[in-house]
Amino acid sequence: MNPRISSGWARVRAVLPERRELAAIGRHPRRDLLAGLTVAIVALPLALGFGISSGMGAAAGLATAVIAGALAAVFGGSALQVSGPTGAMTVVLVPIVHTYGASGVLTVGMLAGLMLIALALARAGRYMALVPAPVVEGFTIGIACVIGLQQIPSALGVPTPEGEKVLLVAWHAVQAFWAEPSWGAPVTTLAVAALMLAGARRRPTVPFSLIAVATATVVAELTHAPLMRIGALPAGLPAPSLAFLDPAALGSLLAPAVAVAALAALESLLSAAVADGMSVSHRHDPDRELFGQGLANLLTPLFGGVPATGAIARTAVNVRSGATSRLAALAHAAILAVIVYSAADLVTLIPLAALAGVLLATAVRMVEVGSVKAMARATRGDAVVLGLTALATLILDLVQAVILGLIVAGALALRAIARNVRLDETPIRPDLPGDHTEQEHALLAEHIVAYRLDGPLFFAAAHRFLLELSEVAAVSVVILRMSRVTTIDASGALILGDAITRLERRGISVYVSGIRNGHHQALHTLGVIARLDAAGHVFASTPEAITAARDHLHHDGVLVAAVSAEEPEVEFKTI
């Protein structure tokens, strides 16, 4: 077989379900079915609410919970993950619905599915774990705020104003409410949210969301309260169709699809990691999880569903309910379909204000106050990244917020490294033990200044190195010992070369020793030590370099002062 074909097939096979995992589905059927039933009860109001909040309607939310939930359960990389419509994805979808309409959202979902599958085959899942914790926490806080603001129109019982900026939409809804106040919807919303929050503290295993919604629906029917309802739902899943697909619009939808794919990958892998932390021995496969989410998002739009991700809240409920295999998440999708489509007439009676209360309570529970306080107090940099990411999520869009958080977190990390790189001049004491020979000590005792280069030599720290090294005075030879340089990049190599050139222009000979094998390529490719190598000034060990330098200076009748980069007199340290 062609090696490329063989390699490609190996990558495809690596993201497909393994036989042993599928065989595990039948080991504890009762526990998994009970867990699936519990999750389905919790997921029903959330699927309805997120579908409505996205602008695609309750039917789209239900289709997503059923189709994406089943596909991701079978093909995903986590046996405990539950997938479906989520609040984070809703935040991204609102402006897409506003700009491109329902067909645009369905097309974006398919494109995002293809991108996720490509990421899975490229084995990019492992890199999603590199997102810093303050970015994730700030992202979660921002999402919670946006979800809460999205519920303002339904909570106040007014039609949702036009617009895609959630702050402006919420403000216009408040203005519309005060023009003609009606207190039925706000009271219903607050009652449902209060029951959920209070009940979750005392009895976390009881599905208070469904109890609260059912109670609100019964009361609204008995009192004939003038509350807006969900409205008509289809009595089953629609037949799969590609009628929404417009090839001419694909180019303009690529950017939104990238945002949706990035969010789906980030949230799904974060949710899968949460499931790992809650279980004893379960570990997810990030690439397979991306593949499962990609397949789910590729096929769900055919049934009118919105883009889906792994859902942290539902996944947590699944684990706490005793799920042991994929059967639980698969049962959740099947039970949800049976509940919804056998009782569609009852679901249509649910007040939108009740669903708004469910989502408000969900937004509140998303934020772990203790974790946020601890992270904000950890370091000033963590607090800045957390706050900035949360604010950007609220004002900008989610993917831009994550990118901004990553940039700021990276910049602060580099700044911390660069600030902790320092040059400390200390005298060398021959009476202390070290790695020099007696010959070296005899030489260094005459006129000694020594430098020690320790840690990474890269763009964030190299400029300081240039300034300090190029100002060395009263020496005739500088010997740079490189054996403790842990990292060197192109910027560091070029600045090292610049420092060497400046020293040589002042008549100082430069010798280099101990270059690590991994650092030769950068130094040679950029021509940093080619001239020194040709002149015979590059050595494997420091004793060889000192011997060569002493021979050179004695030949010229000059006294030597050696500048070493490992015997500390000037020291680079990085923390």
Side-chain angles (χ1 to χ4, degrees):
M1 182 182 289
N2 188 302
R4 290 186 178 180
I5 296 176
S6 177
S7 175
W9 171 242
R11 293 200 174 199
V12 172
R13 189 170 52 192
V15 297
L16 293 176
E18 296 181 2
R19 187 174 299 176
R20 60 179 178 82
E21 291 190 348
L22 297 178
I25 287 178
R27 290 178 184 170
H28 304 283
R30 184 179 177 185
R31 292 177 62 183
D32 287 331
L33 290 175
L34 287 175
L37 176 61
T38 304
V39 177
I41 292 172
V42 172
L44 175 57
L46 293 175
L48 294 169
F50 288 136
I52 293 170
S53 295
S54 71
M56 292 290 287
L62 293 173
T64 305
V66 174
I67 302 299
L71 289 171
V74 175
F75 293 96
S78 172
L80 305 177
Q81 176 98 286
V82 178
S83 300
T86 63
M89 188 60 74
T90 297
V91 174
V92 173
L93 295 181
V94 169
I96 299 176
V97 172
H98 187 265
T99 305
Y100 302 102
S103 62
V105 171
L106 299 178
T107 304
V108 162
M110 291 192 68
L111 292 174
L114 290 172
M115 293 176 186
L116 289 170
I117 292 173
L119 287 174
L121 295 177
R123 297 176 181 173
R126 69 196 76 176
Y127 300 111
M128 295 295 175
L130 301 180
V131 180
V135 175
V136 174
E137 201 70 48
F139 173 77
T140 304
I141 294 171
I143 289 172
C145 292
V146 174
I147 292 172
L149 289 169
Q150 284 179 339
Q151 308 317 310
I152 297 299
S154 294
L156 297 178
V158 299
T160 303
E162 289 293 325
E164 57 181 274
K165 297 297 182 183
V166 66
L167 286 169
L168 290 176
V169 170
W171 174 245
H172 291 155
V174 171
Q175 289 179 317
F177 173 78
W178 282 117
E180 292 184 45
S182 175
W183 298 99
V187 169
T188 301
T189 298
L190 292 176
V192 170
L195 179 59
M196 280 187 62
L197 293 174
R201 290 183 179 180
R202 296 184 178 182
R203 298 287 183 88
T205 59
V206 176
F208 281 101
S209 60
L210 189 64
I211 294 172
V213 169
T215 302
T217 303
V218 171
V219 171
E221 284 297 302
L222 293 177
T223 61
H224 304 287
L227 299 175
M228 292 187 291
R229 313 300 176 98
I230 287 179
L233 290 175
L237 286 173
S241 171
L242 281 171
F244 61 86
L245 191 61
D246 180 9
L250 293 179
S252 61
L253 294 173
L254 282 177
V258 170
V260 168
L263 176 60
L266 179 64
E267 190 173 13
S268 297
L269 293 178
L270 175 62
S271 176
V274 169
D276 290 351
M278 295 177 66
S279 62
V280 177
S281 59
H282 177 266
R283 291 294 176 267
H284 75 282
D285 184 319
D287 295 323
R288 287 179 57 195
E289 183 60 31
L290 290 180
F291 179 78
Q293 297 296 334
L295 193 62
N297 281 288
L298 179 64
L299 298 180
T300 298
L302 300 179
F303 299 89
V306 298
T309 74
I312 295 177
R314 277 157 274 178
T315 298
V317 171
N318 192 41
V319 178
R320 288 174 186 152
S321 300
T324 62
S325 74
R326 300 170 186 272
L327 179 60
L330 189 59
H332 132 271
I335 294 169
L336 192 58
V338 172
I339 292 174
V340 172
Y341 297 121
S342 64
D345 292 339
L346 294 176
V347 173
T348 61
L349 302 177
I350 297 175
L352 295 181
L355 293 179
V358 172
L359 298 187
L360 279 175
T362 301
V364 171
R365 294 174 63 186
M366 285 176 65
V367 181
E368 296 286 346
V369 177
S371 175
V372 172
K373 286 183 178 179
M375 199 167 295
R377 292 172 182 168
T379 67
R380 186 177 299 176
D382 287 337
V384 169
V385 172
L386 188 150
L388 187 61
T389 305
L391 187 62
T393 303
L394 186 60
I395 297 175
L396 305 174
D397 69 54
L398 272 65
V399 176
Q400 289 176 339
V402 171
I403 292 173
L404 180 62
L406 290 173
I407 291 173
V408 174
L412 290 174
L414 292 176
R415 177 172 173 266
I417 292 173
R419 288 180 66 182
N420 283 285
V421 173
R422 64 183 187 271
L423 289 170
D424 299 322
E425 187 171 347
T426 57
I428 286 184
R429 295 174 55 188
D431 57 311
L432 293 180
D435 62 350
H436 285 295
T437 63
E438 292 182 4
Q439 185 181 35
E440 290 177 70
H441 282 298
L443 173 65
L444 295 175
E446 299 180 32
H447 285 277
I448 295 299
V449 248
Y451 286 92
R452 174 175 168 176
L453 186 61
D454 222 344
L457 185 62
F458 70 128
F459 70 94
H463 288 282
R464 212 167 183 184
F465 167 81
L466 170 64
L467 291 175
E468 297 285 349
L469 186 60
S470 61
E471 291 176 2
V472 171
V475 298
S476 299
V477 172
V478 168
I479 300 176
L480 297 177
R481 296 182 65 180
M482 306 288 291
S483 62
R484 293 190 183 179
V485 175
T486 57
T487 302
I488 185 166
D489 67 358
S491 298
L494 290 173
I495 288 174
L496 174 64
D498 194 5
I500 292 172
T501 300
R502 292 190 184 194
L503 290 171
E504 290 179 333
R505 284 175 181 170
R506 292 166 48 204
I508 299 173
S509 298
V510 179
Y511 289 71
V512 178
S513 70
I515 299 174
R516 292 187 177 186
N517 291 333
H519 301 161
H520 279 282
Q521 182 175 356
L523 295 171
H524 279 283
T525 302
L526 296 172
V528 173
I529 60 171
R531 185 175 62 258
L532 295 180
D533 204 4
H537 287 194
V538 179
F539 298 90
S541 67
T542 301
E544 292 176 301
I546 291 178
T547 300
R550 189 179 64 171
D551 291 345
H552 165 69
L553 292 176
H554 284 180
H555 181 268
D556 292 342
V558 181
L559 184 67
V560 66
V563 180
S564 168
E566 279 185 19
E567 285 300 328
E569 181 153 311
V570 181
E571 185 174 359
F572 271 99
K573 289 184 178 178
T574 181
I575 298 176

